[in-house]
Amino acid sequence: MGEEWKEPESRLQQWVSESSRIVFFGGAGVSTESGIPDFRSADGLYSQKWAYPPETILSRSFFDRNPEEFFRFYREKMLCPGAKPNRAHLKLAEMERAGKLTAVITQNIDGLHQAAGSKNVLELHGSVLRNACMRCGKFYPMEHILRSEGIPRCSCGGVVKPDVVLYEEQLDGEILRRAAEAIAGADLLIVGGTSLAVYPAAGLIRYYPGERLVLINKSPTAYDRRAGLLISAGIGEVLGGITL
């Protein structure tokens, strides 16, 4: 039976079985099953009322100008210490252990891919698990931010800033380079849980030279026409059904 007659999930299973250099590129939708809200969905952070728009609060200029309000929002909306890896995170870690997946590239900052066991995770936007003093560079875990009140301070008195890329800040050039290199060398690129609307991260897809581009997302993306396979479903449901 030709590929054109296969159900999308069956074709994905076949492509995974035939591939050995799989790269996964994921966004907020990967973590929604873990209880972490999606910024742009109807019930996401962007639709909730706040003193300022989330894009404003999560900008570097707002952080510098009004850090107390930034951290009030950050603690309430960006930190989910009870979140656990879901089926998508666990399957990707299993694919890496099986020698089939070479990299996970994520726009998420929750650290759930590493919690699931993935080793080669390229975090485009940083991580809430890493925080550092802006004055002396001392490292602090997420718990320090959660326990503190107002503006979290270092033992030296400096402000402790999360290692997350805020609006108006540039992405790490080395992480971008490694992500582009991984995508360029992939024999299967699976993109899931992202609208591919945030640049420069979304532009990384252009580095994929192959035909086996899989897009798994509940809503359309700008790259749908280029995809070799489109699956409109939850990423956990789709990846969880793959057998290795």
Side-chain angles (χ1 to χ4, degrees):
M1 182 170 64
E3 284 191 350
E4 68 272 14
W5 298 106
K6 289 182 179 291
E7 292 293 329
E9 289 80 1
S10 298
R11 188 185 304 183
L12 175 59
Q13 175 67 63
Q14 177 186 335
W15 286 3
V16 168
S17 298
E18 294 172 350
S19 302
S20 59
R21 298 189 312 279
I22 302 170
V23 170
F24 178 80
F25 181 101
V30 177
S31 292
T32 51
E33 288 184 26
S34 296
I36 296 178
D38 177 356
F39 270 60
R40 290 173 178 78
S41 65
D43 57 350
L45 296 183
Y46 277 48
S47 67
Q48 299 177 18
K49 293 190 176 179
W50 202 258
Y52 302 87
E55 303 98 322
T56 299
I57 299 174
L58 296 174
S59 67
R60 180 56 190 261
S61 57
F62 188 92
F63 174 88
D64 291 335
R65 184 175 69 250
N66 195 346
E68 190 154 355
E69 181 70 3
F70 170 89
F71 279 107
R72 187 170 76 87
F73 179 90
Y74 182 80
R75 287 187 188 94
E76 182 174 333
K77 297 297 185 183
M78 305 301 292
L79 298 182
C80 303
K84 303 294 184 186
N86 61 50
R87 292 175 294 175
H89 300 108
L90 295 170
K91 182 59 67 173
L92 290 167
E94 182 185 347
M95 290 166 68
E96 184 185 62
R97 288 193 300 271
K100 299 187 72 65
L101 183 139
T102 58
V104 169
I105 302 166
T106 180
Q107 295 173 297
N108 297 336
I109 57 176
D110 49 50
L112 290 180
H113 285 293
Q114 292 93 328
S118 290
K119 303 299 183 185
N120 190 25
V121 181
L122 301 175
E123 296 172 312
L124 297 174
H125 297 151
S127 172
V128 298
L129 303 182
R130 299 187 299 269
N131 306 273
C133 174
M134 298 176 69
R135 179 184 296 174
C136 73
K138 182 178 179 180
F139 172 86
Y140 286 90
M142 178 176 63
E143 288 70 28
H144 179 76
I145 306 294
L146 287 168
R147 288 195 305 264
S148 61
E149 295 183 2
I151 303 170
R153 296 282 179 179
C154 175
S155 55
C156 78
V159 176
V160 176
K161 181 184 180 294
D163 182 21
V164 298
V165 179
L166 302 176
Y167 289 102
E168 304 167 355
E169 291 185 324
Q170 290 188 336
L171 273 63
D172 184 296
E174 176 61 16
I175 296 293
L176 280 173
R177 185 195 66 76
R178 290 170 58 194
E181 188 176 79
I183 288 174
D187 58 4
L188 171 60
L189 177 60
I190 303 175
V191 179
T194 174
S195 60
L196 294 174
V198 177
Y199 285 82
L204 288 168
I205 307 302
R206 294 195 297 264
Y207 287 94
Y208 180 59
E211 299 296 323
R212 292 187 169 186
L213 170 60
V214 181
L215 294 183
I216 307 169
N217 203 51
K218 291 183 178 180
S219 56
T221 79
Y223 284 82
D224 284 3
R225 288 189 176 183
R226 191 188 158 184
L229 181 59
L230 279 174
I231 302 178
S232 180
I235 185 72
E237 171 190 352
V238 176
L239 292 187
I242 292 175
T243 57
L244 301 177

